Amino acid sequence: MTYETLLLKNSLMAKLDKADRALCFSSGMVALSTVTHLVNPGVNIVTGEDIYGGSDRLLSQVIPKRGIGVKLVQNLNFLT
C-alpha cells in the first residue's frame, strides 16, 4: 500500500465514522502502542480483562511506569 493510498483509506474511514480523522494499523499491538503514546500521565486506559498476552504485559507492566492507569473490566457476553 502506498502512502497516498493509506492517507485516502484514513480519510474514508473518518468520513464513514463522521470523525475528524482516523488511523488504520497493520495490527492490534501497533494500534495499542500508538494509543499509549497519545495519552498523558494520569489518564486511565480501560480494557477488557481477557486480552492478548502481549497487550496484557504492555498494559500491566510497561504503561503504569509512565504514570498511565489501566483499568480492567470484566468481559460480558451480551448474547447469552
Side-chain angles (χ1 to χ4, degrees):
M1 178 180 307
T2 66
Y3 181 70
E4 291 79 17
T5 304
L6 181 60
L7 291 178
L8 178 61
K9 184 178 181 181
N10 290 343
S11 175
L12 291 173
M13 292 284 291
K15 285 181 183 178
L16 284 171
D17 283 341
K18 296 181 177 119
D20 292 332
R21 46 191 151 210
L23 299 172
C24 297
F25 299 95
S26 59
S27 74
M29 281 300 293
V30 174
L32 180 58
S33 178
T34 300
V35 167
T36 64
H37 283 87
L38 292 174
V39 298
N40 295 319
V43 171
N44 285 315
I45 295 175
V46 179
T47 183
E49 62 186 5
D50 184 22
I51 59 174
Y52 167 69
S55 299
D56 180 60
R57 183 181 183 286
L58 177 69
L59 293 173
S60 67
Q61 297 178 26
V62 178
I63 297 307
K65 293 177 183 175
R66 294 184 34 221
I68 298 169
V70 177
K71 303 292 182 191
L72 299 176
V73 296
Q74 182 179 12
N75 294 339
L76 300 175
N77 185 350
F78 294 103
L79 300 176
T80 58

